[in-house]
Amino acid sequence: MSKIVKFGGKSLANGKGINEVVNILEQKLKKKEKLVVTLSARGKATDELELILEKAALGLDYTKAFESFKAYQIEPLPNIDFEKEFELLEGVFKGISLVKDYSLKTKDLVLAQGEILATKIVSELLNDRGAKT
């Protein structure tokens, strides 16, 4: 039977928190515990993505907010490859800024990227420590 472990955005907000999460998971894996891990978006990523969506829908310049979001996301692991996720977000934001609207499905797609980015960071850090994720 697998154990479900969830970490919220605050616990992933900074390098110290991320390292604590990785340490906890690494210890559980060393004990051969079977885990299902679920991660929230880091810090205020969901709020930031929502703000960028709104700016784009209003036709406002969202590029500074998006660049700030990207910088914060890569900060714990500067060499991580988020190109695919960032390109997806950039394309969606450009489209929204053109039509000045978005659907709930589009909003869900954008907000889900926060969880995907957090998962990639934790996974990469665990892999760097020899844990296969």
Side-chain angles (χ1 to χ4, degrees):
M1 179 181 253
S2 295
K3 189 183 283 188
I4 298 173
V5 183
K6 182 188 185 305
F7 294 96
K10 275 190 174 181
S11 62
L12 300 165
N14 58 40
K16 182 180 177 191
I18 292 170
N19 282 326
E20 281 186 39
V21 168
V22 170
N23 288 337
I24 290 167
L25 293 173
E26 184 180 33
Q27 293 307 313
K28 290 184 176 298
L29 292 170
K30 281 181 180 176
K31 293 178 187 176
K32 306 283 188 211
E33 291 184 41
K34 292 184 181 192
L35 301 175
V36 174
V37 180
T38 182
L39 302 170
S40 294
R42 294 183 56 235
K44 303 217 181 280
T46 302
D47 293 339
E48 291 171 0
L49 288 169
E50 209 161 11
L51 175 69
I52 297 166
L53 270 172
E54 291 302 320
K55 283 184 171 194
L58 292 170
L60 301 174
D61 182 16
Y62 60 84
T63 54
K64 277 187 183 178
F66 187 42
E67 290 304 315
S68 176
F69 171 82
K70 292 191 300 187
Y72 175 76
Q73 293 303 314
I74 65 167
E75 187 239 338
L77 201 58
N79 295 329
I80 195 159
D81 182 10
F82 285 154
E83 184 178 347
K84 182 176 139 190
E85 292 80 12
F86 289 162
E87 282 180 2
L88 178 133
L89 287 169
E90 186 172 337
V92 171
F93 294 145
K94 279 183 182 177
I96 291 168
S97 70
L98 289 172
V99 298
K100 309 284 189 278
D101 196 14
Y102 59 88
S103 67
L104 288 177
K105 184 176 179 179
T106 300
K107 181 178 180 178
D108 289 344
L109 172 69
V110 167
L111 298 183
Q113 298 312 301
E115 283 83 9
I116 291 168
L117 297 171
T119 301
K120 283 184 81 169
I121 288 173
V122 171
S123 178
E124 186 75 23
L125 289 169
L126 283 168
N127 287 335
D128 287 349
R129 294 184 184 193
K132 302 225 178 198
T133 63

